Amino acid sequence: MPFPLPPRTRSGPRRRTLLASAAGAALLVGCSSGSERSEEVASAGPSVTERARARAAEDSGGLLQRYDAVLAVHPTLARRLAPLRAEVVRHVEAFGGAGKPKSTPSASASATVSPSGSAAPSLAPSASPATEKEALAGLAAAERRLADERAVALLDVPGELARLLASVAAAGAAHAYLLTEGNR
C-alpha cells in the first residue's frame, strides 16, 4: 500500500494572493489618478466647459456660413446640401448657438481668435469657388478639418460635452464623406 506524500508547506505568499494584491494596487492607483483628474476638471469646470461649448458653437456657425455662401453661388446644389446644412444648424443649436450666422460670409472671412487667444482660421470661405466640384471639395475639407479639431478637443472636456463633441465630429466626418463621394 503506497503511503501518501506529506503535504508540501509553502513558504511565502501564494500566487493567488500576489495576483490579487497586484490587481488591487493597480485599481487603487487608477482610481486615485482618475479622481485627481476629475477634481482638476471640476475646479476648472464651468469655465473650461463654457469656453469649449462657445468655441464649438462658433465653429459650427462658421461652417453654416460656408454652406450658405456655397448655396448663394451655386443654387443648383440646394437639394444635395439641404440635409447637411440642416444638420449643421442642429449642431449650432446643440452647442447653444443661435442657429443663424451672426454676420455675412464675407465679413467673417478673416481669422477669428479662439478662447485660448490663438488665431484660428475661419471656416467661412474667403472667395467663392468657381465650380460646383470645387465648392463641394471646400465644404468637405472644412467639415473634415472641424471634425478633426473636435476629436482633439473632446479629450479636454468633461462627460456630456465630450460625448456631444464626439457625436458632432462623427457627423462632420460623415458629411465630408458624403460631399466627396458624390463627385465620383
Side-chain angles (χ1 to χ4, degrees):
M1 159 172 221
F3 291 102
L5 295 174
R8 290 180 26 191
T9 56
R10 297 181 187 200
S11 61
R14 292 183 175 191
R15 186 178 343 167
R16 279 188 221 139
T17 307
L18 288 174
L19 290 174
S21 299
L27 285 174
L28 288 176
V29 168
C31 290
S32 65
S33 67
S35 63
E36 291 170 5
R37 170 83 173 142
S38 16
E39 288 173 11
E40 291 172 10
V41 170
S43 65
S47 62
V48 170
T49 303
E50 289 171 6
R51 284 190 312 234
R53 189 177 290 273
R55 173 63 193 249
E58 179 183 324
D59 289 344
S60 290
L63 187 61
L64 180 60
Q65 290 175 351
R66 186 169 187 123
Y67 271 91
D68 289 344
V70 168
L71 287 170
V73 175
H74 303 286
T76 55
L77 292 174
R79 183 174 177 198
R80 181 172 179 187
L81 297 181
L84 301 177
R85 184 192 178 281
E87 285 294 314
V88 173
V89 169
R90 283 193 277 280
H91 297 163
V92 172
E93 293 168 352
F95 289 120
K100 300 216 182 229
K102 295 179 183 176
S103 61
T104 62
S106 61
S108 64
S110 63
T112 58
V113 176
S114 69
S116 63
S118 63
S122 174
L123 291 174
S126 56
S128 298
T131 67
E132 289 181 359
K133 187 173 182 177
E134 289 173 351
L136 293 174
L139 281 174
E143 287 273 14
R144 197 173 299 110
R145 183 174 56 249
L146 188 54
D148 291 344
E149 288 174 9
R150 287 181 172 154
V152 170
L154 70 87
L155 299 173
D156 297 328
V157 295
E160 184 180 336
L161 183 56
R163 287 187 292 276
L164 180 59
L165 282 170
S167 177
V168 173
H175 290 182
Y177 173 79
L178 292 171
L179 289 165
T180 56
E181 284 302 306
N183 291 336
R184 294 181 184 188

